[in-house]
Amino acid sequence: MAEQLRLMTVHAHPDDESSKGAATMAKYVAEGAQVLVATCTGGERGSVLNPKMDRPEVLADITNIRRKEMDRAREILGVDQAWLGFVDSGLPEGDPLPPLPEGCFGLQDPQEAAKPLIKLIREFRPHVMTTYDENGGYPHPDHIMCHKVSVVAFDQAGDPELYPELGEPWQPLKLYYNSGWTRARMLALHEGMLAAGLESPYAEWLEKWSDRQDRGDKITTRVECGEYFAVRDDALRAHATQVDPDGFWFHIPLEMQQKVWPTEDFELARSLVDSPIPESDLFAGIREKVEAA
């Protein structure tokens, strides 16, 4: 019997899995792959970003509520999920920035903090991993540490000389970075809205784009997953403390997104297999080997 394809996505907080690559995960689940979300922190210091949930009783129980939200999003996406057990760093604000809270994820030694992820990799045995780029997608300390920990774990999980107490070695074959909002994607959606006679929510962003980093030229892999955008949106709405159902995320009609930009995009950062670039499948170069096993 052919081995099942396995994908692990590593994220900093609950809700990140639903805003970054969620439709891709749902697509692979529907195709029979196993997908595991590794969540580094509990999101304990996250702000309540949905005005409807900004209530004292919610803030007082934010840790439990965010875990319940993650459970619901996991069910919607059809994935498995594991907590790595680190404490949210919060997003420091001010000039100068205040120090990060003692003991938080952003202050961990990446070599030590990678150990729970190495253990999880050796247990789950993913063929492919996804995480954030070296800037964290945006410079949140937990996102940057998530990148560091993921890279260390990818490099070390297959080394039989390291950490025998963490399980049998397993080497994932590919590591991807999630691609966020590129200028090309935003411009395409903006122009699609205007062409349809609708107001675009991206006009101001595009005017100020010169101040933003754009990694659009680094994209190697575009996964066609538009039919799963509705699943992605349902998973996002499950994170009710973080996502306003009437807010920015949902201003572009689903049909417009599916028509104008029906892919989720990734940067191939490490690969131990041959797969021609550009790709349309995270398992390119792996699928044939596993399915023939």
Side-chain angles (χ1 to χ4, degrees), residues 22 27 34-35 42 65 84 86 98 100 102 135 142 144 178 184 208 220 227 243 257 271 283-284:
K27 166 190 167 70
Q34 277 186 282
V35 180
I65 288 172
L84 295 187
F86 296 102
L100 294 178
E102 184 177 352
N135 301 306
D142 288 337
I144 293 170
N178 301 297
K208 298 178 179 178
T220 59
E227 65 181 292
V243 179
Q257 297 179 52
S271 181
F283 293 104

Side-chain angles (χ1 to χ4, degrees), residues 73-244:
R74 172 184 54 74
E75 291 171 359
I76 291 168
L77 293 170
V79 301
D80 295 317
Q81 188 261 342
W83 302 96
L84 295 187
F86 296 102
V87 177
D88 189 351
S89 303
L91 182 59
E93 296 179 307
D95 187 13
L97 291 174
L100 294 178
E102 184 177 352
C104 71
F105 184 49
L107 292 179
Q108 300 301 308
D109 174 358
Q111 293 289 331
E112 286 298 311
K115 288 181 179 179
L117 184 56
I118 290 171
K119 184 175 187 293
L120 192 62
I121 290 169
R122 291 177 174 181
E123 291 170 352
F124 181 66
R125 299 163 70 87
H127 301 100
V128 175
M129 289 175 58
T130 70
T131 189
Y132 313 140
D133 64 42
E134 63 274 12
N135 301 306
Y138 76 105
H140 190 299
D142 288 337
H143 285 236
I144 293 170
M145 184 58 68
C146 180
H147 161 81
K148 293 178 180 178
V149 165
S150 299
V151 171
V152 170
F154 181 89
D155 288 343
Q156 295 186 354
D159 189 337
E161 301 297 321
L162 292 175
Y163 315 124
E165 72 279 9
L166 300 182
E168 291 294 320
W170 176 262
Q171 179 58 61
L173 297 174
K174 298 172 88 173
L175 175 67
Y176 288 92
Y177 299 156
N178 301 297
S179 176
W181 279 100
T182 62
R183 187 179 188 280
R185 179 185 174 202
M186 187 171 288
L187 184 61
L189 292 168
H190 172 76
E191 291 178 342
M193 291 288 282
L194 296 182
L198 301 171
E199 183 180 357
S200 168
Y202 301 136
E204 186 176 347
W205 273 26
L206 286 166
E207 286 175 8
K208 298 178 179 178
W209 191 270
S210 59
D211 297 334
R212 292 173 59 89
Q213 183 188 41
D214 187 7
R215 297 174 68 105
D217 61 336
K218 295 183 181 293
I219 291 171
T220 59
T221 311
R222 300 185 189 275
V223 178
E224 190 95 21
C225 54
E227 65 181 292
Y228 298 96
F229 284 177
V231 179
R232 173 203 65 192
D233 288 356
D234 285 345
L236 268 173
R237 282 187 282 263
H239 292 284
T241 59
Q242 303 301 298
V243 179
D244 183 352

